[in-house]
Amino acid sequence: MELTGSQIVIECLKEQGVDTVFGYPGGTILNIYDELYKHSNEIRHILTSHEQGAAHAADGYARATGKVGVCFATSGPGSTNLVTGIATAYMDSVPMVAITANVAVNLLGRDTFQEVDIAGITMPITKHNFIVKDITKLADTIRKAFKIAKSGRPGPVLVDITKDVTAAKTSYKKVTPEVIQRKTDEITEEDIKQAIEMIERSKKPFIFVGGGAVISEAHDELKEFVDKVDAPVTDTLMGKGAFDGTDERYTGMLGMHGTKASNLGVTECDLLITIGARFSDRVTGNVKKFAKNAKIIQIDVDPAEINKNIITRCSVVGDIKEVLRLLNQRLGQQNHKEWLEHIHDLKQKFPLKYNKEVLTGPFVLEKLYEVTGGDAIITTEVGQHQMWAAQFFKYNLPRTFITSGGLGTMGYGLGACIGAKVGMPDKTVINIAGDGCFRMNMNEIATATRYNIPIIEIIFNNHVLGMVRQWQTLFYEQRYSYTNLNDKVDFVKLAEAMGAKAYRITKKEEVESVLKEAIALKEPVVIECIIDSDDKVWPMVAPGAAIEEVFTEEDIKK
């Protein structure tokens, strides 16, 4: 049958099983929006308050569901407003397809109104991108975009379509998407054998889990592997929930704000088994001193990550679920009772601490865990509150902690929270924010209220840019250069003006009742928690230091 380009876009989305699109209309994309209007009973469209919010919502939807997130934007500023969201998804390997429209082919390159080379702009921050100038190539391009976005190491793909293509007609035939196979072609017998031999020789193994284990849905295989290796487990921000955070072998996060048990344990171990982690600088600290006593095994789907930041002794390239399945079949039961007892002693000796006498971020997060029983999806912005959410809320399932790890995008969490809730409507979804981050994209509260998406936004308001101020306190002799936010903005009135229910908490005793009420309301809620501007995230590793040099407030006082 013969269809317009706009009709083909919608039919291809239906082919791919897309049920939700986040976006913002404009001149060049009007034809597509007109067609979307006719299919509103099949594809839900969420009109965000800003295109950046649409990109973050598509990202949060993808991370929560495991499906490809989709966002729309018009040309020029509409498409450039997606850039931060696309870069965020790229750094954290999130499957997303961004569909933008551009000016007609005969107007390209003429500085036409709202013309921009969005394909050129996003080339370094997409897994792949396309500009479609020929109607006959449109359907296959969209299909390729979805395949690329979700195969191997996932990532965002941009499809830019000129306006004349959205109006032109060509023949269309429905195609059933091919099943994406897990990547196994680079897994070799030699690599598997070497990994098993190294594990069997190890006396003090440590397992280090990253976001790749979440993406590959390797939760069950990872649990079996940990049991067989009989080793302690640490993780990255992106790896949270891949291994049960309530398990006795779990030692907490690794790195700059990792636990002492994890940082000291990894420094002491003789074998570090790294699963789906890319050795970010925030994890390794001084790379020359990282895991200095250990041989390293790295398991990753992307060969480009092998030996990129840390030199390994053994690597296995392939889908993590499949690699772990092969290792579990071949590996005999190991026993490291004394090593585990030593790590347990470190956990007992160096627990996470905070001031329990006053209202703090950690107290709110522990109370939130208690009230929800851990059955919630937590999204975050970036900063101190993000670290506290990683430290003090326990994650026992994958896709329940959604945060900007690689790019560190302030303003990410609220859009992601909306996307996660739309994708997982039966889950309690809560965004943890600081006051600085909330200011970035707080207009998305209006999106939540427009559609009555019952998210909960918790703002830790310390009236400063908390993490930046923490660095200024510790490393810049308390020169607080432009980090004070102590102005007259009233977040409660602001939230209420956008149609949300709002609370302000100033003392510990109010937390539990407000959280319970907010969850029961089933409507958008904003909770402002007033905390001290000098509260800090502990432990900490100074930039450039070895992770074993991790210190706490007590260490500074000593």
Side-chain angles (χ1 to χ4, degrees), residues 318-378:
D319 182 89
I320 287 165
K321 189 182 184 79
E322 293 301 308
V323 173
L324 290 179
R325 187 178 61 79
L326 290 171
L327 290 173
N328 288 337
Q329 288 174 358
R330 303 268 291 276
L331 185 64
Q333 180 62 51
Q334 309 298 298
N335 188 317
H336 301 106
K337 184 171 181 289
E338 289 184 11
W339 171 236
L340 280 169
E341 286 175 350
H342 171 63
I343 296 300
H344 179 74
D345 289 344
L346 289 178
K347 286 172 64 177
Q348 296 297 110
K349 186 177 179 181
F350 302 116
L352 292 171
K353 294 180 181 178
Y354 64 91
N355 183 357
K356 297 183 184 290
E357 302 303 313
V358 295
L359 180 64
T360 64
F363 175 83
V364 173
L365 284 155
E366 285 193 334
K367 188 60 69 174
L368 181 62
Y369 179 77
E370 180 185 313
V371 167
T372 60
D375 185 17
I377 294 174
I378 303 297

Side-chain angles (χ1 to χ4, degrees), residues 274-472:
T274 305
I275 302 173
R278 57 186 177 82
F279 296 112
S280 157
D281 59 296
R282 284 297 195 264
V283 161
T284 61
N286 186 328
V287 292
K288 293 178 181 178
K289 298 179 181 179
F290 178 74
K292 60 188 179 185
N293 299 306
K295 297 173 182 175
I296 296 176
I297 298 172
Q298 186 175 5
I299 302 169
D300 205 286
V301 75
D302 186 356
E305 291 299 338
I306 306 301
N307 296 323
K308 185 175 84 174
N309 294 325
I310 295 290
I311 302 301
T312 62
R313 182 67 63 91
C314 167
S315 60
V316 186
V317 175
D319 182 89
I320 287 165
K321 189 182 184 79
E322 293 301 308
V323 173
L324 290 179
R325 187 178 61 79
L326 290 171
L327 290 173
N328 288 337
Q329 288 174 358
R330 303 268 291 276
L331 185 64
Q333 180 62 51
Q334 309 298 298
N335 188 317
H336 301 106
K337 184 171 181 289
E338 289 184 11
W339 171 236
L340 280 169
E341 286 175 350
H342 171 63
I343 296 300
H344 179 74
D345 289 344
L346 289 178
K347 286 172 64 177
Q348 296 297 110
K349 186 177 179 181
F350 302 116
L352 292 171
K353 294 180 181 178
Y354 64 91
N355 183 357
K356 297 183 184 290
E357 302 303 313
V358 295
L359 180 64
T360 64
F363 175 83
V364 173
L365 284 155
E366 285 193 334
K367 188 60 69 174
L368 181 62
Y369 179 77
E370 180 185 313
V371 167
T372 60
D375 185 17
I377 294 174
I378 303 297
T379 66
T380 82
E381 305 291 348
V382 172
Q384 289 179 317
H385 58 277
Q386 177 190 32
M387 296 298 107
W388 290 328
Q391 291 174 329
F392 292 97
F393 195 98
K394 299 179 180 67
Y395 304 92
N396 59 8
L397 289 172
R399 303 193 183 281
T400 54
F401 182 65
I402 295 173
T403 193
S404 172
L407 198 64
T409 305
M410 291 176 69
Y412 166 79
L414 180 51
C417 188
I418 289 169
K421 182 63 179 179
V422 169
M424 303 294 286
D426 296 330
K427 297 285 286 186
T428 299
V429 186
I430 301 154
N431 186 47
I432 308 299
D435 50 325
C437 288
F438 182 60
R439 291 163 181 261
M440 293 276 182
N441 281 326
M442 59 189 174
N443 49 354
E444 297 305 337
I445 291 294
T447 305
T449 58
R450 178 186 295 121
Y451 296 99
N452 194 32
I453 300 169
I455 60 164
I456 298 172
E457 171 89 355
I458 299 178
I459 307 163
F460 294 148
N461 189 354
N462 55 8
H463 298 98
V464 294
L465 296 176
M467 187 61 87
V468 186
R469 180 186 170 92
Q470 178 165 331
W471 280 50
Q472 288 173 334

Side-chain angles (χ1 to χ4, degrees), residues 178-323:
E178 62 180 286
V179 177
I180 302 296
Q181 301 296 331
R182 292 182 177 273
K183 186 176 178 182
T184 59
D185 54 306
E186 293 184 71
I187 303 173
T188 68
E189 169 65 22
E190 181 183 350
D191 291 339
I192 293 291
K193 184 179 179 182
Q194 183 184 6
I196 289 173
E197 288 174 352
M198 288 174 67
I199 293 168
E200 289 176 341
R201 287 198 297 266
S202 171
K203 303 297 182 186
K204 298 188 289 185
F206 218 115
I207 295 172
F208 171 40
V209 180
V214 174
I215 293 167
S216 69
E217 309 282 2
H219 180 71
D220 293 338
E221 289 78 9
L222 179 60
K223 175 67 167 69
E224 182 182 348
F225 182 71
V226 171
D227 288 344
K228 279 203 165 187
V229 179
D230 197 32
V233 180
T234 183
D235 58 16
T236 66
L237 267 181
M238 304 307 303
K240 294 217 157 288
F243 184 74
D244 186 351
T246 64
D247 191 286
E248 63 181 2
R249 291 194 183 95
Y250 179 67
T251 62
M253 195 165 60
L254 182 68
M256 181 172 280
H257 293 293
T259 63
K260 280 195 171 185
S262 292
N263 285 8
L264 298 177
V266 165
T267 302
E268 292 179 34
C269 75
D270 65 8
L271 178 67
L272 184 64
I273 307 168
T274 305
I275 302 173
R278 57 186 177 82
F279 296 112
S280 157
D281 59 296
R282 284 297 195 264
V283 161
T284 61
N286 186 328
V287 292
K288 293 178 181 178
K289 298 179 181 179
F290 178 74
K292 60 188 179 185
N293 299 306
K295 297 173 182 175
I296 296 176
I297 298 172
Q298 186 175 5
I299 302 169
D300 205 286
V301 75
D302 186 356
E305 291 299 338
I306 306 301
N307 296 323
K308 185 175 84 174
N309 294 325
I310 295 290
I311 302 301
T312 62
R313 182 67 63 91
C314 167
S315 60
V316 186
V317 175
D319 182 89
I320 287 165
K321 189 182 184 79
E322 293 301 308
V323 173

